[in-house]
Amino acid sequence: MSLSALILLLWGTSYAPGDLTLVSSFIVTPLSAILAAATLVVSLVLYILSRKNETFQHVTALVAYIMICTSASSIIISTGHMKSPFIAIWLLLGMFAGLFGIMGFLFICVVEAVYVTYLFTQQPSGTTSISAVIFIFIVPLIVSLIVWRRQIQPGGSDDKAYSDLARELSQVSNKSDIVINAIADGVIAVGGSNTIQLINPAAQTLIGWDKQDATGLDYRSVLKLLDSKDHAITDEADPIQQVLRTNQPITRDDLSLITNAGKKLILSLVVSPVGQPGSGCIIVFRDITDQVAENRQKAEFVSTASHEMRTPVAAIEGYVALALNPQTATIDDKARGYLTKAHESANHLGQLFQDLLDISKAEDGRLNNSPTPIDVASFVKDVISSVQPTAAAKQITLVYAPDSNPQIILPAYFVNVDPNHYREVISNLLTNGIKYTKPGGTVTTDITGDVDHVTVSVIDTGIGIPAEDIPHLFQKFYRVDNSDTREIGGTGLGLYLCRKLVETMNGRIWVESIYGKGSMFFVELPRAASTAPDSNESQQN
Ligand code: ADP
């Protein structure tokens, strides 16, 4: 480009006022000026294009090189061939040939061979000296070959290793391009400056942006994320910013996206960090709008069905209870036996519908959540006393650990959660402890904590849980199936509901167990400031 500009400048001097033309031999012909102008424009355009698409950089450079060689040839021929003052340009161009690989060399060799043949055939012998030809044409090529090729491929013996590595890298890069382009999920790579570095075809289709338009832009102008309340996401809540800050991967299923066409999609999104904190991340996302709608419909169906079926079951339960009550009905012992079984089954069915109703609410976020400051110690004691009759009926001893050791004074442990949810969880764990412990056993409840957390543990001396079942215990409908549990009725929904409720309360639930010896269930919740609740009742509603 500089060379073309120089040629144009020299041509321009011949039109300047006064006598700016240096010497007549420096006069540039219009043809050379046109070629130089074309080279300048084409080189500029190719340079801009190659900045956007690096794949074609070497081709565009070779095209620009061929064009400048043509301009130089024209100016040299028109200003005296080998005696031209511009012959130095050719020396320079010869030295650069090596930069363009074998194609650059071949091009310059062919041009020089043709020109030298022309010189020796057209001009009288002796006019063109052999030494000048060697100096102007051959030496720059050799210099170029040695200097530039060595710079590109250092160490002669390493040449093969270098080219093998380059080939391998290019193959790996091609393969990963193929994989990324074939992935059905959207993939976007974001650099440390928040700009999009890569966007695969699936992402382009999902968000309605072309690769050319999106690449290099701030990801926030392409990936317009909304939170669960449909508000534009803030930088603090933005998972991409969080990953860039913390370098920890994040998975979200609660965000939506506004496409280029203004359509709203619900996304499942995984953001993974790349390299050092803040250096970049990869976003993998897919459209789960239909899946969410389908789940909502299923949950609505389950919840409506359970709600509708609960009413007749409650009626059956009530009438059977009346039949079993000696004050309201007279039945013989045989009928009592049948009705007792019917009453237990109706109870079980009622519990199943209640669990299904609660779960469908928990799953689609319809659970009422009214956080209240709760004094954990008195709250847990209250729940224990509510299950005391069940424990007594099975000759199970319930122990409240802080009471059994008066030396230990429990700190004021408060949590700020919905009391109904908390009660449901602890009561479920206590009921399970009683259910899965043989008569004569013990179920102990303890409270521990630190500055940030309060943990309630329910420890039984029951049948225990086999190690292979533990990872599945909090899944929907999962029941341990062995000779110990077969006789004990249940739905496999209690612990799943506990997990859902604990997650709603931003806590954690887990179990440790030794099969045949007993189990320990833990519920950890964030500890709240020790503000006394308004009244004792408010904790127990
Ligand atoms: P359900 O008790 O109605 O079957 P849960 O979800 O409450 O359903 O429990 C799932 C399974 O976990 C139970 O079927 C039982 O096998 C096992 N389990 C739960 N609590 C205990 C416990 N305290 N001791 C031993 N096994 C337990």
Side-chain angles (χ1 to χ4, degrees):
M1 277 194 278
S2 321
L3 223 50
S4 311
L6 187 74
I7 295 170
L8 285 173
L9 194 73
L10 283 170
W11 172 72
T13 56
S14 55
Y15 291 94
D19 190 14
L20 273 178
T21 315
L22 305 169
V23 274
S24 60
S25 52
F26 273 92
I27 290 170
V28 176
T29 62
L31 176 67
S32 305
I34 290 168
L35 280 171
T39 307
L40 185 67
V41 173
V42 172
S43 306
L44 199 68
V45 172
L46 290 178
Y47 173 71
I48 294 165
L49 287 179
S50 68
R51 272 168 66 94
K52 282 196 169 179
N53 192 341
E54 290 176 11
T55 328
F56 299 113
Q57 254 177 14
H58 59 286
V59 181
T60 53
L62 182 65
V63 171
Y65 178 70
I66 292 173
M67 288 193 74
I68 191 62
C69 284
T70 315
S71 306
S73 310
S74 146
I75 199 168
I76 290 166
I77 291 167
S78 63
T79 52
H81 288 272
M82 295 291 281
K83 295 194 182 78
S84 163
F86 295 105
I87 201 76
I89 293 177
W90 195 260
L91 267 162
L92 212 63
L93 288 172
M95 285 189 201
F96 279 103
L99 267 183
F100 308 95
I102 187 73
M103 294 306 285
F105 269 105
L106 278 180
F107 169 75
I108 211 92
C109 285
V110 169
V111 170
E112 290 187 353
V114 170
Y115 184 61
V116 170
T117 315
Y118 162 83
L119 282 181
F120 283 107
T121 51
Q122 295 296 311
Q123 294 187 10
S125 59
T127 321
T128 311
S129 92
I130 302 276
S131 54
V133 167
I134 292 174
F135 178 71
I136 293 162
F137 298 126
I138 316 285
V139 173
L141 270 184
I142 295 170
V143 173
S144 158
L145 191 73
I146 295 167
V147 177
W148 293 110
R149 294 296 290 174
R150 267 184 105 62
Q151 271 198 13
I152 295 164
Q153 300 176 0
S157 61
D158 294 341
D159 285 3
K160 195 176 168 323
Y162 174 87
S163 59
D164 284 353
L165 181 65
R167 199 177 322 114
E168 209 168 296
L169 284 175
S170 115
Q171 278 173 3
V172 171
S173 144
N174 285 342
K175 275 184 199 158
S176 47
D177 275 0
I178 291 168
V179 172
I180 288 170
N181 290 344
I183 292 175
D185 287 353
V187 179
I188 293 182
V190 172
S193 51
N194 294 326
T195 50
I196 293 178
Q197 308 290 329
L198 177 150
I199 175 164
N200 79 338
Q204 294 169 43
T205 316
L206 273 174
I207 60 177
W209 277 78
D210 279 348
K211 183 179 174 181
Q212 286 78 4
D213 296 337
T215 311
L217 285 186
D218 190 309
Y219 78 88
R220 285 167 288 208
S221 47
V222 176
L223 211 60
K224 292 178 190 127
L225 294 175
L226 306 178
D227 62 17
S228 50
K229 293 191 178 106
D230 284 351
H231 296 143
I233 202 144
T234 59
D235 270 3
E236 283 73 47
D238 185 340
I240 296 143
Q241 289 300 316
Q242 287 172 351
V243 169
L244 288 174
R245 272 196 303 271
T246 62
N247 226 31
Q248 295 296 320
I250 290 183
T251 305
R252 298 280 293 268
D253 286 336
D254 58 334
L255 299 177
S256 327
L257 169 118
I258 296 291
T259 67
N260 204 9
K263 198 175 155 203
K264 189 183 140 194
L265 305 177
I266 302 174
L267 291 190
S268 169
L269 182 106
V270 180
V271 190
S272 312
V274 180
Q276 300 296 313
S279 56
C281 63
I282 305 282
I283 312 161
V284 180
F285 60 99
R286 72 196 143 92
D287 177 11
I288 53 164
T289 316
D290 292 345
Q291 202 180 317
V292 168
E294 210 172 284
N295 287 350
R296 192 160 291 157
Q297 276 174 3
K298 272 192 212 160
E300 265 168 31
F301 171 75
V302 172
S303 114
T304 315
S306 330
H307 192 262
E308 291 304 318
M309 287 190 270
R310 218 170 38 145
T311 320
V313 168
I316 296 168
E317 217 184 317
Y319 282 117
V320 175
L322 281 176
L324 283 169
N325 187 343
Q327 281 163 1
T328 47
T330 316
I331 48 169
D332 62 21
D333 286 349
K334 207 170 176 189
R336 181 172 299 281
Y338 294 147
L339 284 177
T340 307
K341 286 212 164 62
H343 192 234
E344 278 168 10
S345 297
N347 249 331
H348 181 205
L349 204 57
Q351 187 56 49
L352 178 67
F353 289 143
Q354 184 59 51
D355 284 355
L356 282 173
L357 197 62
D358 289 345
I359 282 168
S360 65
K361 278 186 188 166
E363 278 180 340
D364 67 3
R366 281 183 298 125
L367 270 183
N368 288 334
N369 194 13
S370 321
T372 314
I374 295 172
D375 173 9
V376 180
S378 60
F379 188 83
V380 167
K381 266 174 109 169
D382 185 58
V383 184
I384 294 173
S385 56
S386 73
V387 296
Q388 184 62 52
T390 324
K394 210 184 157 188
Q395 287 128 47
I396 303 275
T397 313
L398 293 184
V399 177
Y400 177 60
D403 276 356
S404 58
N405 193 352
Q407 270 107 358
I408 296 174
I409 299 163
L410 211 61
Y413 285 131
F414 278 85
V415 288
N416 192 23
V417 295
D418 189 306
N420 289 327
H421 298 173
Y422 200 26
R423 176 180 293 274
E424 174 89 44
V425 172
I426 294 168
S427 148
N428 236 315
L429 296 182
L430 284 167
T431 319
N432 273 354
I434 298 166
K435 200 157 94 175
Y436 297 103
T437 302
K438 295 201 173 97
T442 311
V443 176
T444 308
T445 311
D446 198 2
I447 302 169
T448 50
D450 56 29
V451 190
D452 301 317
H453 305 103
V454 182
T455 307
V456 173
S457 47
V458 177
I459 304 150
D460 63 57
T461 56
I463 58 173
I465 302 157
E468 64 271 21
D469 289 301
I470 289 182
H472 311 285
L473 220 57
F474 296 95
Q475 289 169 5
K476 211 192 271 187
F477 294 115
Y478 193 84
R479 302 205 69 217
V480 177
D481 185 19
N482 59 27
S483 52
D484 295 324
T485 57
R486 223 155 281 152
E487 296 302 309
I488 308 169
T491 58
L493 289 171
L495 289 181
Y496 176 72
L497 180 62
C498 286
R499 173 165 73 86
K500 282 280 165 195
L501 292 174
V502 171
E503 281 169 4
T504 320
M505 297 186 278
N506 296 321
R508 218 158 59 89
I509 182 167
W510 71 100
V511 62
E512 289 169 18
S513 181
I514 299 173
Y515 185 46
K517 290 238 157 75
S519 312
M520 296 190 279
F521 284 83
F522 300 90
V523 177
E524 181 192 84
L525 294 185
R527 187 174 174 181
S530 313
T531 27
D534 297 343
S535 73
N536 216 27
E537 286 94 280
S538 69
Q539 302 165 19
Q540 291 156 24
N541 284 337

